[in-house]
Amino acid sequence: MTAIKHALQRDIFTPNDERLLSIVNVCKAGKKKKNCFLCATVTMERPVQVKVVKVKKSDKGDFYKRQITWELRDLGEVDAKDPSKENPEFDLHFEKVYRWVASSVAEKNTFISCIWKLNQRYLRKKVEFVNVSPQLLEESAPRGEAQSVAGGDEDALDDYQELNTREEQDIEGMMEVCEYAISNAEGFAEKLSRELQVLDGANIQSIMASEKQVNILMQLLDQALSEVDNIEDKLSSYEEMLQSVKEQMDQISQSNRLIQISNTNNVKLLDEIQFLVNYMDLSKGHIRALQEGDLSSPKGIEACINASEALLQCMNVALRPGHDQLLAVKQQQHLFSDLRDTFARRLTNHLNNVFVHQGHDQSSTLSQHTVDLSLPKHSPLHRDLLRYAKLMEWLKNTQREKYEGLSMTYVEYMTRLYEREIKDFFEVAKIKMAGTSKEAKGKFATLPRKESALKQESESLHGSSGKLTGSTSSLNKLAVQGSNSRRSQSSSLLDMGNMSASDLDVADRTKFDKIFEQVLSELEPLCLAEQDFISKFFKLQQHATVQPPLAQPEPEETDGAIPSRVTPQSEPRHSISSEKDLVRMMMNKIFQSIETELNSLIALGDKIDSFHSLYMLVKMSHHVWTAENVDPASYLSTTLGNVLVTVKRNFDKCISGQIKQMEEVKISKKSKVGILPFVTGFEEFAELAETIFRNAERRGDLDKAYVKLIRAVFMNVEKVANESQKTPRDVVMMENFHHIFSTLSRLKISCLEAERREAKHKYTEHLQSYVINSLGQPLEKLNHFFEGVEARVAQGVREEEVSYQLAFNKQELRKVIKEYPGKEVKKGLDNLYKKVDKHLCEEESLLQVVWHSMQDEFIRQYKHFEDLIGRCYPGSGITMEFTIQDMLEYFSSIAQSH
């Protein structure tokens, strides 16, 4: 084993600067016996690394090779299997368990003992040894081969020190003096030993010779010791003195620390007291104002506002930990609660009385507004109540139930007041609209103010009053916008002098337009002022900057209110949507009669004259547009938008009624048709609509109605023309489409440009057809003759050979031409003129147009006959009995004679 160890050290470990400390011959347990060696090694360089190496002998030669290397620090456990019996098996636990069988128990014990010592020296007992005999681990290093290898060599490795340069030079010098130092080492050693003994003797002699100096040195040392003792005594006395000073200083320091703590506590206590006094103390003046303050005078209201804000600040102060346990704090909080309840009760009772008295005072002034078509102004009431706005905000933050009760009380009284005012206002409007004549009164009497049918129709249309939202809009801006735009609107609307009337004259329609405009102009500021007051008085929304009409934000942003400040101890802040819902509910309740009354007024106007729906559509659209520009989510905008749906329905009904009248028109079988009544009706409608809708926002609705009406006019003109018995179909079509074309050309309606071109085409087409059919063949036999000539040419007969045909020779042609002298032609044309005059109506003045077209057609036929004579009878000298100049004179004389 020693030879193997030496070979492994030389071949494997020395080249890697490693020292082999222990070796054991092993094989794997339970498998075919393939021997290998486990080696425990350490590196020569520091820091020392301890390894376990598996070495295997090569199969091809007598040399060894390293197979696996483990670091000793990766070894977790060494299992010797049985501590009491000699067993060559053992396990090493690295990343997995390796089971080995040693060639002898002694080698196993030596290897395990070496591993244990290396673990103790380098790994600080990291490896765990299991089933290992305690005697094996407790053995000391001097015994056995293992100690000599694992201990001695390692200690020698640790104690060995290399010679420095000077020592190497001294040894070389000594060896050069002694010639046999290399050949006779023992003699050289003996010589060195003798020289060392001589030197030791010399040292002893030198020591003995210096005894006197030693004695002197000892005396000096004794004196030094005595001086040291003196210094120590002085230091001890100083230490005692310093100790007493230290105790005094400790007492002073302790006293100062206690004083500092006391001062700190006093400062903190003063701060807490000042905090409570500053934030939890309510002045006597504030208490008196809350308990007895005058809520009817401006000074008293101002004092109550200041007192209520101070009270709210005291109640909502953020107490520090432990304050709520103080008796004084509890008493103050109880006092604040009593003051809050007392003042809330006083404020609620006072405002209830104000609502009642203001409502009665306002209702007593209603009679003076009945004559004039105007609504009472509530600005004095709003101005008086707005003085309490801050108190309402305080009540909202502290007593939510009383705040909501006041809101409902205000809504209840104002609902009654506004209902009476609006009812009387609309009664006056209806009387003025219906007029003072008996007939108008009869019309008005037949239409109750609140018709159940109208109410059901309105409810089916809108459900309820729709989604109503309030806003704090600027009334001044609305007035400027509305007045500027309505001024131009009304000026164009009332300029109706050149328009023909249908059932009522222009004055009646103008009167209706003024009344309807006045109604909307009165309702608009009333609703906006009330909504603005509700938002300010009940602190539901803060004023937002009104955006320009063309750059509005979304309704949620424009109408989004910033809720009033709510402190931590008050009720939770309501969201913006809930406050908008509250404004919507209040406005809907207060003005619940507006939408019904407007619908009733609209129904009355529509019953008086269906064309009133045009005025109402323009006016209502304009007011909706104006209201939406100010606040698209306001109650006014929503309500007018709902009513606009009804107006639009009436407008559509008016259009449908006109179309139905066109379909039901009946013509007389005994008289000529002329211009149909629905054609003139469309002209009247178009002229009226163009005047009303000039620069209107709802032009698109009118354009759609135009298209429906004109298509119905076209269709029914053709229907009547087909049914006409007295007047030829072409005349009915020609006259009516000429009238339509003239109307559209004069009014220049852009959306009906295609229909204008179509009307012109139909007029031209039927004019030509009527001319051809009426003119027919004034030279009938001559026509038949030349038709036969054209038939022969079409059959392949050459034109110059037609004269040789028996039926179409020159004699036959002369015979036919002689039958139509100029006198006969003029007589036939005169009869034709009378026939055309009988067919045409006087309104359109188309007689000369038709007569001129017939002249052109007759000349065309005449030229055609002359052309055939020239081609088929060349050189015959045959001509007509009359010339073109004769025909022109005939037509001119006949037209002048009639």
Side-chain angles (χ1 to χ4, degrees):
M1 182 62 71
T2 302
I4 295 174
K5 180 178 178 183
H6 180 71
L8 292 175
Q9 178 66 52
R10 182 186 69 243
D11 299 337
I12 295 178
F13 298 110
T14 299
N16 294 328
D17 292 333
E18 294 177 311
R19 180 182 294 276
L20 178 61
L21 300 182
S22 180
I23 184 174
V24 58
N25 186 6
V26 297
C27 62
K28 290 187 179 180
K31 292 188 177 182
K32 186 177 181 182
K33 304 300 183 180
K34 290 185 178 180
N35 291 341
C36 58
F37 297 98
L38 293 179
C39 305
T41 66
V42 294
T43 58
M44 303 290 286
E45 298 178 353
R46 294 183 183 276
V48 178
Q49 296 182 7
V50 185
K51 301 178 181 178
V52 177
V53 183
K54 177 183 175 183
V55 178
K56 183 178 179 182
K57 189 175 182 180
S58 176
D59 297 334
K60 297 181 180 180
D62 191 13
F63 62 91
Y64 300 90
K65 63 180 180 179
R66 185 192 295 253
Q67 192 171 16
I68 301 176
T69 301
W70 298 278
E71 295 286 342
L72 187 62
R73 64 174 176 268
D74 296 334
L75 179 62
E77 180 181 319
V78 177
D79 186 1
K81 296 299 184 181
D82 193 347
S84 59
K85 296 181 181 180
E86 294 184 353
N87 186 357
E89 297 181 0
F90 66 96
D91 296 343
L92 299 180
H93 294 249
F94 288 102
E95 73 279 0
K96 65 179 183 177
V97 179
Y98 293 92
R99 305 184 186 278
W100 307 102
V101 178
S103 60
S104 66
V105 177
E107 289 184 7
K108 165 192 168 183
N109 292 338
T110 302
F111 183 76
I112 292 176
S113 177
C114 181
I115 294 297
W116 182 80
K117 292 176 182 179
L118 292 174
N119 176 51
Q120 296 292 320
R121 182 175 181 86
Y122 296 106
L123 300 183
R124 301 293 187 268
K125 303 180 181 180
K126 179 180 178 183
V127 182
E128 184 178 358
F129 290 84
V130 181
N131 297 323
V132 179
S133 174
Q135 292 81 3
L136 179 63
L137 300 179
E138 292 175 359
E139 288 180 350
S140 57
R143 293 183 300 175
E145 182 183 359
Q147 180 63 31
S148 62
V149 174
D153 290 346
E154 183 63 24
D155 293 340
L157 178 64
D158 292 340
D159 295 338
Y160 173 76
Q161 293 182 354
E162 294 183 356
L163 297 176
N164 55 33
T165 305
R166 182 178 178 180
E167 289 175 344
E168 289 181 356
Q169 291 176 357
D170 291 343
I171 292 176
E172 288 178 357
M174 290 176 62
M175 293 177 67
E176 288 176 356
V177 173
C178 185
E179 297 178 355
Y180 57 89
I182 297 176
S183 60
N184 189 1
E186 292 181 357
F188 180 66
E190 289 178 0
K191 180 180 178 181
L192 293 177
S193 179
R194 286 195 300 270
E195 291 179 357
L196 181 60
Q197 290 177 359
V198 172
L199 291 175
D200 288 339
N203 288 335
I204 293 172
Q205 290 295 327
S206 176
I207 292 172
M208 292 177 65
S210 60
E211 181 178 0
K212 183 177 181 179
Q213 287 81 1
V214 170
N215 291 330
I216 295 171
L217 177 62
M218 295 298 294
Q219 291 176 0
L220 292 175
L221 289 175
D222 291 337
Q223 293 176 0
L225 288 174
S226 62
E227 290 295 330
V228 169
D229 291 337
N230 293 332
I231 293 172
E232 287 183 353
D233 293 337
K234 290 182 180 181
L235 289 175
S236 297
S237 64
Y238 293 157
E239 184 178 359
E240 291 177 358
M241 295 171 64
L242 290 174
Q243 184 65 30
S244 63
V245 173
K246 178 179 178 300
E247 292 177 356
Q248 294 176 3
M249 293 301 296
D250 290 342
Q251 292 178 358
I252 293 172
S253 175
Q254 181 69 19
S255 177
N256 289 337
R257 186 166 60 255
L258 293 176
I259 292 173
Q260 186 177 3
I261 293 174
S262 177
N263 289 337
T264 303
N265 291 337
N266 290 334
V267 170
K268 291 184 177 179
L269 179 60
L270 180 61
D271 180 64
E272 296 293 333
I273 294 174
Q274 288 179 344
F275 173 79
L276 294 176
V277 171
N278 292 335
Y279 295 101
M280 293 288 291
D281 186 29
L282 195 64
S283 67
K284 293 182 180 180
H286 287 335
I287 295 175
R288 191 181 306 109
L290 292 173
Q291 293 176 342
E292 305 172 358
D294 185 9
L295 289 171
S296 57
S297 65
K299 291 185 177 179
I301 294 173
E302 185 66 24
C304 290
I305 290 173
N306 296 332
S308 63
E309 291 178 350
L311 175 62
L312 186 62
Q313 185 178 3
C314 290
M315 294 185 67
N316 294 332
V317 65
L319 295 176
R320 298 171 183 174
H323 284 178
D324 54 351
Q325 302 297 325
L326 298 176
L327 179 60
V329 173
K330 293 181 179 179
Q331 291 176 350
Q332 284 294 99
Q333 290 178 338
H334 183 68
L335 174 62
F336 295 156
S337 299
D338 291 342
L339 289 174
R340 178 195 62 192
D341 296 340
T342 301
F343 182 67
R345 187 164 52 252
R346 290 182 60 239
L347 178 63
T348 303
N349 294 335
H350 179 76
L351 289 179
N352 274 326
N353 294 332
V354 170
F355 294 158
V356 174
H357 291 138
Q358 291 285 3
H360 287 310
D361 294 343
Q362 190 78 10
S363 61
S364 63
T365 63
L366 291 177
S367 58
Q368 64 185 7
H369 296 277
T370 56
V371 178
D372 299 329
L373 187 59
S374 62
L375 284 167
K377 305 301 180 184
H378 291 189
S379 53
L381 170 63
H382 293 165
R383 185 176 58 253
D384 293 340
L385 289 178
L386 281 177
R387 297 182 301 173
Y388 302 95
K390 291 186 178 180
L391 293 177
M392 284 299 297
E393 182 180 9
W394 177 85
L395 191 65
K396 177 182 178 182
N397 296 332
T398 56
Q399 296 284 338
R400 188 76 185 188
E401 293 181 358
K402 288 184 171 57
Y403 167 81
E404 293 176 353
L406 271 179
S407 303
M408 294 300 103
T409 303
Y410 175 81
V411 170
E412 179 182 356
Y413 280 98
M414 295 309 294
T415 300
R416 298 174 187 173
L417 177 61
Y418 276 116
E419 187 173 359
R420 290 194 298 270
E421 292 178 355
I422 293 171
K423 175 182 177 182
D424 294 340
F425 174 71
F426 275 94
E427 290 289 350
V428 174
K430 290 175 183 177
I431 292 174
K432 288 180 175 293
M433 186 180 293
T436 57
S437 64
K438 293 183 179 180
E439 180 182 357
K441 288 182 179 179
K443 288 183 178 181
F444 177 65
T446 58
L447 185 69
R449 186 176 58 85
K450 293 183 179 179
E451 288 184 311
S452 59
L454 176 64
K455 185 175 180 181
Q456 293 176 359
E457 179 182 352
S458 175
E459 290 179 354
S460 65
L461 249 179
H462 314 301
S464 62
S465 53
K467 184 179 181 182
L468 308 177
T469 55
S471 69
T472 57
S473 57
S474 172
L475 298 180
N476 294 331
K477 177 175 180 180
L478 176 63
V480 173
Q481 283 185 343
S483 62
N484 291 339
S485 55
R486 282 198 296 271
R487 193 175 296 115
S488 61
Q489 189 84 7
S490 300
S491 63
S492 63
L493 204 65
L494 303 178
D495 186 15
M496 310 261 303
N498 59 347
M499 189 189 70
S500 60
S502 58
D503 297 326
L504 299 176
D505 57 10
V506 176
D508 290 335
R509 289 176 179 166
T510 304
K511 172 185 173 184
F512 173 83
D513 178 55
K514 288 182 178 180
I515 295 173
F516 194 72
E517 170 65 23
Q518 182 68 19
V519 169
L520 296 180
S521 300
E522 289 291 326
L523 289 177
E524 194 172 72
L526 180 73
C527 294
L528 290 175
E530 183 63 31
Q531 181 167 320
D532 189 60
F533 168 75
I534 289 175
S535 300
K536 292 178 180 178
F537 181 71
F538 292 100
K539 293 298 179 182
L540 296 177
Q541 294 166 321
Q542 297 294 335
H543 287 280
T545 302
V546 181
Q547 301 293 331
L550 298 180
Q552 288 193 49
E554 293 297 322
E556 289 79 8
E557 296 178 9
T558 303
D559 194 47
I562 303 174
S564 301
R565 179 180 60 85
V566 181
T567 48
Q569 293 184 357
S570 64
E571 293 189 11
R573 182 178 63 182
H574 284 244
S575 64
I576 293 177
S577 61
S578 64
E579 293 194 349
K580 290 167 63 177
D581 292 340
L582 185 56
V583 173
R584 183 187 308 121
M585 182 272 294
M586 296 174 71
M587 290 294 294
N588 187 25
K589 180 69 175 176
I590 291 173
F591 294 106
Q592 58 185 351
S593 60
I594 283 184
E595 188 170 343
T596 303
E597 293 291 348
L598 272 175
N599 287 330
S600 176
L601 186 69
I602 290 168
L604 174 62
D606 190 61
K607 186 172 183 180
I608 294 174
D609 184 0
S610 61
F611 277 7
H612 283 165
S613 61
L614 277 70
Y615 294 91
M616 291 188 288
L617 180 63
V618 172
K619 289 295 183 184
M620 188 62 69
S621 301
H622 176 71
H623 281 270
V624 170
W625 178 82
T626 305
E628 286 182 349
N629 281 339
V630 176
D631 185 359
S634 66
Y635 169 82
L636 177 67
S637 173
T638 307
T639 302
L640 293 183
N642 293 338
V643 177
L644 179 61
V645 175
T646 303
V647 175
K648 179 60 169 59
R649 170 178 287 188
N650 290 343
F651 175 75
D652 295 338
K653 192 184 300 181
C654 173
I655 302 302
S656 300
Q658 293 192 47
I659 294 175
K660 186 176 181 181
Q661 290 177 4
M662 296 179 194
E663 296 172 350
E664 294 175 354
V665 69
K666 301 294 182 181
I667 59 173
S668 174
K669 297 180 180 180
K670 298 181 180 180
S671 60
K672 56 185 176 182
V673 176
I675 304 300
L676 294 170
F678 57 80
V679 174
T680 56
F682 173 78
E683 179 184 12
E684 178 187 354
F685 173 83
E687 289 176 344
L688 177 64
E690 284 301 306
T691 307
I692 295 174
F693 279 81
R694 189 178 303 158
N695 301 323
E697 292 85 5
R698 300 292 293 235
R699 179 72 194 190
D701 294 331
L702 179 63
D703 291 344
K704 294 178 182 177
Y706 273 150
V707 174
K708 291 181 181 178
L709 285 174
I710 200 66
R711 300 318 306 177
V713 169
F714 282 14
M715 181 179 66
N716 287 285
V717 166
E718 293 188 8
K719 174 184 174 184
V720 172
N722 294 331
E723 295 175 354
S724 175
Q725 298 178 1
K726 182 74 174 177
T727 306
R729 178 179 183 277
D730 288 329
V731 173
V732 176
M733 297 287 286
M734 173 185 64
E735 290 182 330
N736 284 278
F737 278 106
H738 178 266
H739 192 87
I740 294 171
F741 170 71
S742 301
T743 300
L744 296 181
S745 299
R746 175 168 49 84
L747 296 178
K748 297 180 181 179
I749 303 173
S750 58
C751 68
L752 297 182
E753 183 61 27
E755 284 75 9
R756 187 185 71 85
R757 292 193 296 268
E758 183 180 353
K760 181 180 180 181
H761 173 72
K762 288 181 178 291
Y763 154 68
T764 306
E765 177 185 357
H766 288 284
L767 172 62
Q768 190 66 24
S769 175
Y770 176 68
V771 168
I772 293 174
N773 293 333
S774 297
L775 188 60
Q777 297 176 347
L779 311 176
E780 185 175 0
K781 293 182 179 180
L782 194 60
N783 262 302
H784 287 314
F785 180 84
F786 283 110
E787 284 178 0
V789 171
E790 289 176 340
R792 293 294 187 275
V793 174
Q795 293 174 1
V797 178
R798 295 173 63 182
E799 291 180 347
E800 57 271 16
E801 296 179 356
V802 171
S803 60
Y804 299 108
Q805 298 286 329
L806 182 61
F808 302 102
N809 56 26
K810 295 176 183 180
Q811 289 78 11
E812 291 294 328
L813 175 59
R814 289 189 181 95
K815 182 180 179 180
V816 173
I817 288 176
K818 285 182 179 181
E819 293 184 8
Y820 293 100
K823 188 181 294 186
E824 290 295 329
V825 172
K826 183 177 181 181
K827 182 179 179 180
L829 291 176
D830 187 64
N831 293 332
L832 178 62
Y833 186 89
K834 294 178 181 179
K835 178 182 177 183
V836 172
D837 186 34
K838 185 178 180 180
H839 288 162
L840 297 179
C841 66
E842 297 179 357
E843 293 90 341
E844 283 303 293
S845 302
L846 290 178
L847 178 59
Q848 296 302 322
V849 176
V850 173
W851 188 242
H852 183 72
S853 298
M854 287 185 171
Q855 174 182 297
D856 294 340
E857 178 64 21
F858 197 92
I859 292 174
R860 186 192 65 80
Q861 291 186 14
Y862 180 86
K863 291 181 179 180
H864 178 64
F865 295 154
E866 282 191 337
D867 180 62
L868 285 177
I869 292 173
R871 287 189 285 113
C872 297
Y873 303 93
S876 62
I878 301 174
T879 59
M880 302 289 286
E881 292 288 330
F882 55 92
T883 63
I884 293 179
Q885 186 61 36
D886 295 334
M887 284 191 300
L888 293 175
E889 292 178 359
Y890 299 157
F891 275 96
S892 177
S893 62
I894 292 173
Q896 291 176 2
S897 63
H898 292 280

